[in-house]
Amino acid sequence: MKFWRTPLDIDKLQIPRGELHILKERCKGCAFCVEYCPKGVLELSEEFNSKGYHPPVAVKPEECVNCDLCEMLCPDFAIYCVRTEAGEKEVTT
Amino acid sequence: MKADPNNVLTGAHYLDGNHACAEGAIAAGCKFFAGYPITPSTEIAERVSRRFPLIGGVFIQMEDELASMNAILGASWGGVRSMSCTSGPGFSLMMENFGLGLMLETPCVLVNVQRGGPSTGLPTLPGQADMMQARWGSHGDYEVIALAPDSPQESFELAVHAFNLSETYRMPVLIMTDECVGHMTEKVVIPPAEEIELVEIRYSSKKPGEAWPFEATEDLISPMLEVGKGHKFHVTGLTHDERGYPVINAEAQAKNVNRLVDKVNKHAEEIIWLQEKDVEGADVVVMSYGISSRVVQPAIMKATKEGIKVGQIKMVTVWPFPEKRVAELAEKVKSLVMVEMNLGQVFLEMDRCAKGKCETYLVGHAGGTVHNPEDIYNTIKEAAK
Amino acid sequence: MSAKVEELIKEEHPMERLLRMDRIPHIWCPTCGLGTTVTALSTALEQLQLDLNNVAVVSGIGCTGRVAGYMKLDSFHTTHGRAVPFALGLHIARPELKTIVFSGDGDLISIGGNHFIHTARRNVDMTIICVNNFIYAMTGGQVAPTTPLTAKAATTPYGNWEHPFNLPLLAASSGAVYVARWTALHVRRLTAAIKEAISKRGFSFVEVIAPCSTLYARINKLGTGLDLMKFYHDNSVIRHGADLNDVDIDFQSKIVVGKFVDIEKPTYIDCLNEGGKRAFGDKYKPYGGGNGNN
């Protein structure tokens, strides 16, 4: 991760990790999650759900930082993140 | 349950019908009143606003009648006995949410002190021309319960009774009084609290998650759910199932609306309250309600003195209409006479139920004053021929 | 269809504690801002750690009116415009409940406008979440009292020529003690504002500018719901404590968002008790709720 200023507590920082859960059948394909994921984890899939929408798919699931933004923006309660154990130290400057 | 002695002004008083009605509501445990000033009903609100602070009730003057009706529904769901009062134009405004009250099956009492209409009409003079509005005023199919007191004493008693009915059948109940009764001052005897029997609404005893707000029961009266108890229930003015969830189709509509209608019809015989006098063997039976049932007295006395066999039925409840009784009487009597301060509203119901088995007569006028007993007498004489 | 979808969805969403899952999927269109606003309210309630038994939601009619039906709380779906007086009655009967009115701009401000200003005037302790999508959506996109000047609607096919309401100004000048505006994009700030509003004693008002892609965006050729969200991103100006005369929303203009009002004022029930004490002294027992429960 790049910083415009190196945080003073850089050695203590841990980047949280999240596991994405997509409830494909509930999705209405608005793409809010895709657009606003700060890490660009998601893309709309080619696949259709039974309502004919393209649900998102995690193309870079390992990048998810469990920020919950997708979960909060989703108008259809179709996506959520769960914080995973891994909070590995991989902060670089 | 007995009335709370703190609420009951036991003793003999000299009160007008509106004040007596307010005292009846207070005795019945009413603790929330939302209203909007309108002649000739305002004294009810004024009395309540004076009495409530010391007995733990809240009176609030709302911005309009639409708000008043909704506020009492909200308070009722909050578990508080609530009421409002109004007159003609305000009654029209309340009709929208009177319908919501019926749909949500919300107990509450609404008083209409009738004046002359339509529109602004005769604000300070009596009428009985809102009777069909009481019956059909909100859109859609439903049944109502409406009471008509004829005196300040009865205004007190029927206010208590109205609360009991609304708690028993879990629905709004109407008191259709009029300017004449509302502003007539007479002796009112308020009994001791222990002589006032109150009905308590049935709350569901089921656990949260198992109880629904419109649960099907044999008597069609669903137990009420209390807010804040974890039921997390939903109620809606949309056509709904017994869970209270909206269901927008013809089957759900049939189930929902028929239940609302059947709830009253099935219990009609328990609800209907008629005071009959000399009806057995009568040739002419005079039906009336509210103030008109007092105005008929001199006419009946005069006719009786002249040898006409006249019976009287005073309808304490106007809705549901006593269909069975009228049909029965139509087979026996020569004529039925309806005396009411309108141009023939409840008369039409009487006429319908008589099914042509006897003559039917209307003594009506457009309101503004009570009947001239002479007109009633003349009709009785005509009806006895 | 819905039964089938439910079968396909086995996983539990974290919001399920607050939603009636037996009614989801909801009826709202793709990209509608309502779901997001419901999430903001749900998150706010979770974060406040309130006893959910003591929260009631009241709504009126319209797309937003359906919120009451989806929240797993004691919830009341009333008639058009009347959510506020219904909530007033409920609040007075049960002041210990957090009463939240969740309704749309047309419902609250047009047909329910009178109730809104008077309940604000009385400073009745309740929270109003007004989802403003600039249009009557449920009925097919007719003009609303919030439709910006020149914007098109089903009943203003040549563009709206009426001045719209400035809702924060209306709320504040009517007596609201907390007034904030955010868009559906500002989920975190919106959640924080709803938390503050719910915690606030008195009449609190949160306006949420939300996308209606099916009607408002389509008739005005503004693209998709996502385009509206991008528009909010590019054109929202955060200005806490802004002069409310300056927060009008013109067609596709900058949208001033932020917390505008946060003041202290005795609530309706405070004033009721004050009045009772003034009149009756020690004889007066403060009102704490209906049926003498409190």
Side-chain angles (χ1 to χ4, degrees):
Chain A
M1 185 184 270
K2 286 230 166 90
F3 297 96
W4 60 273
R5 162 183 83 72
T6 308
L8 295 173
D9 54 354
I10 185 84
D11 54 327
K12 293 184 198 124
L13 273 185
Q14 283 196 327
I15 296 176
R17 290 287 161 211
E19 188 183 284
L20 274 172
H21 294 254
I22 299 165
L23 286 70
K24 288 183 197 167
E25 287 305 321
R26 223 179 260 163
C27 176
K28 292 180 188 163
C30 71
F32 288 179
C33 55
V34 175
E35 176 71 22
Y36 292 104
C37 173
K39 306 294 282 180
V41 170
L42 296 157
E43 260 178 28
L44 285 187
S45 63
E46 291 296 306
E47 173 193 0
F48 288 101
N49 67 13
S50 65
K51 283 183 280 192
Y53 297 110
H54 294 288
V57 61
V59 286
K60 293 185 277 178
E62 69 287 352
E63 293 274 300
C64 174
V65 290
N66 193 41
C67 73
D68 279 344
L69 197 59
C70 55
E71 179 181 325
M72 296 203 71
L73 280 171
C74 176
D76 294 285
F77 318 110
I79 189 166
Y80 64 96
C81 320
V82 180
R83 189 172 180 147
T84 52
E85 287 300 313
E88 68 270 34
K89 267 192 200 173
E90 53 165 276
V91 180
T92 51
T93 51
Chain B
M1 182 177 79
K2 305 288 180 198
D4 179 350
N6 289 331
N7 301 340
V8 184
L9 274 191
T10 303
H13 304 266
Y14 190 54
L15 293 177
D16 73 16
N18 283 345
H19 284 97
C21 180
E23 284 305 329
I26 294 168
C30 173
K31 286 286 167 68
F32 182 77
F33 188 108
Y36 185 81
I38 185 164
T39 306
S41 75
T42 319
E43 294 83 2
I44 301 177
E46 288 172 355
R47 178 91 180 187
V48 168
S49 70
R50 203 161 251 278
R51 290 270 279 120
F52 264 2
L54 285 180
I55 56 169
V58 174
F59 166 84
I60 182 165
Q61 184 171 312
M62 297 301 288
E63 52 275 14
D64 57 30
E65 286 89 348
L66 300 158
S68 305
M69 188 66 216
N70 270 280
I72 68 171
L73 297 179
S76 180
W77 277 99
V80 175
R81 289 179 189 219
S82 51
M83 87 180 293
S84 186
C85 71
T86 189
S87 185
F91 197 56
S92 295
L93 288 179
M94 286 187 178
M95 278 296 116
E96 177 198 38
N97 297 291
F98 179 67
L100 180 67
L102 289 162
M103 200 64 163
L104 301 187
E105 301 181 49
T106 311
C108 59
V109 173
L110 174 56
V111 186
N112 179 357
V113 186
Q114 296 176 82
R115 64 196 224 183
S119 188
T120 315
L122 300 170
T124 57
L125 297 173
Q128 288 182 320
D130 303 349
M131 296 312 298
M132 276 298 172
Q133 187 182 19
R135 177 66 190 85
W136 299 110
S138 200
H139 52 280
D141 279 314
Y142 55 85
E143 289 285 333
V144 292
I145 301 176
L147 308 168
D150 71 353
S151 62
Q153 180 68 40
E154 217 178 61
S155 295
F156 173 87
E157 287 161 10
L158 291 191
V160 177
H161 187 54
F163 272 97
N164 283 346
L165 288 171
S166 82
E167 302 270 305
T168 306
Y169 300 105
R170 200 189 138 179
M171 63 186 287
V173 170
L174 297 169
I175 299 178
M176 301 296 289
T177 176
D178 58 76
E179 188 276 336
C180 210
V181 172
H183 287 164
M184 163 201 294
T185 305
E186 285 183 343
K187 182 177 176 184
V188 175
V189 179
I190 299 181
E194 66 267 21
E195 287 173 24
I196 301 174
E197 195 60 49
L198 299 180
V199 175
E200 262 183 299
I201 194 151
R202 190 159 42 124
Y203 276 103
S204 177
S205 52
K206 291 192 175 170
K207 278 186 295 199
E210 293 170 8
W212 299 112
F214 305 105
E215 192 190 310
T217 52
E218 209 168 305
D219 61 3
L220 305 177
I221 307 159
S222 314
M224 188 98 167
L225 294 186
E226 204 179 342
V227 285
K229 295 287 178 207
H231 291 295
K232 296 179 181 163
F233 61 85
H234 180 61
V235 292
T236 171
L238 286 165
T239 296
H240 47 259
D241 59 16
E242 64 178 50
R243 297 174 301 171
Y245 292 0
V247 186
I248 309 300
N249 61 43
E251 292 76 33
Q253 171 76 355
K255 225 174 140 186
N256 191 352
V257 177
N258 282 314
R259 197 172 62 75
L260 289 181
V261 169
D262 292 345
K263 180 167 79 169
V264 175
N265 286 342
K266 199 178 158 185
H267 298 100
E269 292 308 309
E270 301 153 34
I271 299 167
I272 292 169
W273 180 359
L274 303 176
Q275 291 174 352
E276 303 192 358
K277 205 179 143 201
D278 305 328
V279 171
E280 287 313 313
D283 287 328
V284 179
V285 171
V286 178
M287 297 186 74
S288 53
Y289 53 90
I291 188 63
S292 302
S293 60
R294 292 177 77 170
V295 180
V296 299
Q297 301 297 345
I300 292 175
M301 274 159 67
K302 191 171 169 190
T304 308
K305 228 181 244 174
E306 289 180 12
I308 302 173
K309 287 185 185 160
V310 193
Q312 191 200 350
I313 295 182
K314 187 190 124 182
M315 302 161 73
V316 180
T317 53
V318 179
W319 309 120
F321 189 75
E323 298 187 355
K324 254 195 203 157
R325 185 61 181 144
V326 171
E328 245 169 52
L329 282 175
E331 304 268 5
K332 296 182 191 163
V333 301
K334 213 181 256 178
S335 325
L336 288 170
V337 178
M338 175 62 72
V339 182
E340 53 182 345
M341 240 189 296
N342 57 51
L343 299 180
Q345 294 192 4
V346 184
F347 164 75
L348 293 174
E349 280 293 272
M350 184 186 80
D351 188 59
R352 172 179 70 85
C353 298
K355 292 199 170 82
K357 298 278 168 58
C358 70
E359 294 296 318
T360 56
Y361 291 85
L362 164 70
V363 191
H365 71 78
T369 173
V370 295
H371 289 78
N372 180 349
E374 205 57 29
D375 296 339
I376 304 168
Y377 165 75
N378 290 336
T379 308
I380 294 173
K381 240 171 78 179
E382 170 79 24
K385 274 183 197 162
Chain C
M1 177 75 192
S2 69
K4 195 179 152 215
V5 170
E6 281 315 302
E7 273 167 38
L8 290 168
I9 300 170
K10 296 273 190 280
E11 280 182 78
E12 280 203 0
H13 190 279
M15 280 298 114
E16 301 198 358
R17 209 162 83 81
L18 278 135
L19 297 173
R20 294 181 199 278
M21 295 319 293
D22 46 353
R23 300 213 56 223
I24 303 285
H26 53 61
I27 59 160
W28 299 314
C29 305
T31 79
C32 174
L34 277 165
T36 309
T37 316
V38 167
T39 303
L41 171 61
S42 306
T43 313
L45 291 173
E46 290 263 313
Q47 291 180 0
L48 285 171
Q49 296 186 314
L50 292 173
D51 177 358
L52 296 179
N53 291 350
N54 284 337
V55 182
V57 173
V58 184
S59 55
I61 296 294
C63 295
T64 323
R66 292 302 191 98
V67 167
Y70 297 122
M71 300 289 302
K72 203 197 277 176
L73 298 166
D74 287 338
S75 58
F76 301 89
H77 182 215
T78 66
T79 44
H80 200 17
R82 319 293 170 222
V84 171
F86 191 100
L88 176 145
L90 185 64
H91 164 71
I92 292 177
R94 301 295 284 266
E96 75 276 17
L97 301 182
K98 288 280 179 194
T99 304
I100 300 166
V101 172
F102 202 128
S103 236
D105 49 312
D107 186 70
L108 279 168
I109 307 301
S110 184
I111 187 166
N114 200 27
H115 310 314
F116 177 79
I117 58 171
H118 282 275
T119 309
R121 170 178 66 78
R122 298 182 183 108
N123 196 23
V124 178
D125 185 9
M126 61 170 77
T127 298
I128 312 276
I129 299 171
C130 174
V131 177
N132 180 1
N133 54 11
F134 305 120
I135 210 155
Y136 279 86
M138 181 68 93
T139 46
Q142 295 79 19
V143 70
T146 46
T147 308
L149 212 54
T150 74
K152 285 185 178 170
T155 46
T156 51
Y158 311 110
N160 174 30
W161 47 65
E162 289 182 18
H163 298 287
F165 265 128
N166 169 343
L167 300 188
L169 177 65
L170 179 70
S173 54
S174 303
V177 291
Y178 182 94
V179 179
R181 175 199 274 159
W182 295 101
T183 77
L185 180 67
H186 297 87
V187 266
R188 290 191 204 283
R189 292 171 195 268
L190 174 61
T191 304
I194 293 175
K195 272 167 72 178
E196 285 185 344
I198 291 173
S199 309
K200 188 85 192 170
R201 288 185 82 248
F203 190 89
S204 50
F205 176 74
V206 180
E207 180 186 8
V208 188
I209 307 295
C212 169
S213 63
T214 306
L215 295 155
Y216 185 72
R218 184 176 293 170
I219 200 167
N220 286 295
K221 300 191 166 51
L222 302 176
T224 63
L226 184 59
D227 292 324
L228 287 183
M229 290 291 249
K230 287 178 182 166
F231 178 83
Y232 302 156
H233 179 269
D234 298 339
N235 293 281
S236 296
V237 183
I238 299 176
R239 210 187 295 154
H240 296 298
D243 180 345
L244 289 177
N245 290 302
D246 300 335
V247 307
D248 283 296
I249 299 177
D250 294 326
F251 186 56
Q252 295 301 88
S253 71
K254 294 278 177 202
I255 301 170
V256 180
V257 293
K259 178 164 86 175
F260 303 132
V261 177
D262 190 353
I263 57 168
E264 302 298 324
K265 204 163 80 175
T267 65
Y268 174 77
I269 290 182
D270 293 342
C271 295
L272 173 90
N273 284 330
E274 189 64 33
K277 253 181 262 162
R278 205 161 51 226
F280 302 105
D282 292 340
K283 256 170 66 186
Y284 181 76
K285 200 169 143 262
Y287 177 80
N291 281 351
N293 288 336
N294 294 71

